[in-house]
Amino acid sequence: VQLQASGGGLVQTGGSLRLSCSASGITLADAAIGWFRQVPGKERGGVSCISASDGRDYYADSVRGRFTTSRDNAKNTVYLQMNSLKPEDTAVYYCAARYLGSSRLSPSALAYAFWGQGTLVTVSS
C-alpha cells in the first residue's frame, strides 16, 4: 500500500496549486481521504476531507472558499485545488486514507490509517 502526495512547489501570494494524492495497492474511491498540513514545531492539522460514499467534504475555516477537494476515481487520484494562496498556507501537505467509517467526515489525523509522504508548498509574499 502506497500513497503519494505530489504537486507542491513555490508560488506567489494569490497563486494556485493543485495537489494530487495517488495510490497503489488500495482503491481511493472506497476510502475517505483527508488532506493535512504541517509546519515545523506544530502538529499536523486537518485541511480538508472527503467521504467515500457521497462525496461530502469538509474544509478548515482557514481554507474554506479557497481550497477544493475532488476525486477522479478512474485515475485512483484525489486532488486538492488550492486558490488564492497565502504565506500562511506554507507547509508540507499530506494525504491520508481510511476505510473504517469512510462515510463519515473526520479532520483528525488519528482517524486515518494510510499516509503518504508529503509535498512541500511554499507561498512567497
Side-chain angles (χ1 to χ4, degrees):
V1 175
Q2 189 171 19
L3 283 178
Q4 179 65 53
S6 61
L10 174 63
V11 64
Q12 292 184 332
T13 296
S16 298
L17 283 174
R18 189 178 74 163
L19 305 185
S20 298
C21 178
S22 58
S24 60
I26 57 174
T27 300
L28 295 185
D30 298 330
I33 305 299
W35 286 98
F36 298 83
R37 64 187 182 187
Q38 189 170 24
V39 297
K42 292 190 176 181
E43 292 186 354
R44 193 171 296 186
V47 174
S48 174
C49 56
I50 186 167
S51 67
S53 56
D54 55 8
R56 289 175 298 120
D57 51 16
Y58 158 89
Y59 299 94
D61 289 343
S62 58
V63 306
R64 188 173 296 118
R66 300 188 296 123
F67 290 12
T68 304
T69 295
S70 62
R71 294 180 180 272
D72 185 335
N73 292 334
K75 295 183 178 180
N76 204 29
T77 300
V78 176
Y79 301 102
L80 181 67
Q81 177 67 43
M82 306 187 296
N83 299 328
S84 302
L85 283 163
K86 304 175 182 180
E88 51 264 43
D89 294 320
T90 295
V92 177
Y93 284 72
Y94 300 86
C95 63
R98 79 172 195 276
Y99 291 90
L100 292 177
S102 62
S103 63
R104 299 194 304 270
L105 295 171
S106 176
S108 171
L110 297 175
Y112 294 83
F114 303 99
W115 289 83
Q117 292 185 336
T119 185
L120 176 62
V121 172
T122 303
V123 184
S124 63
S125 56

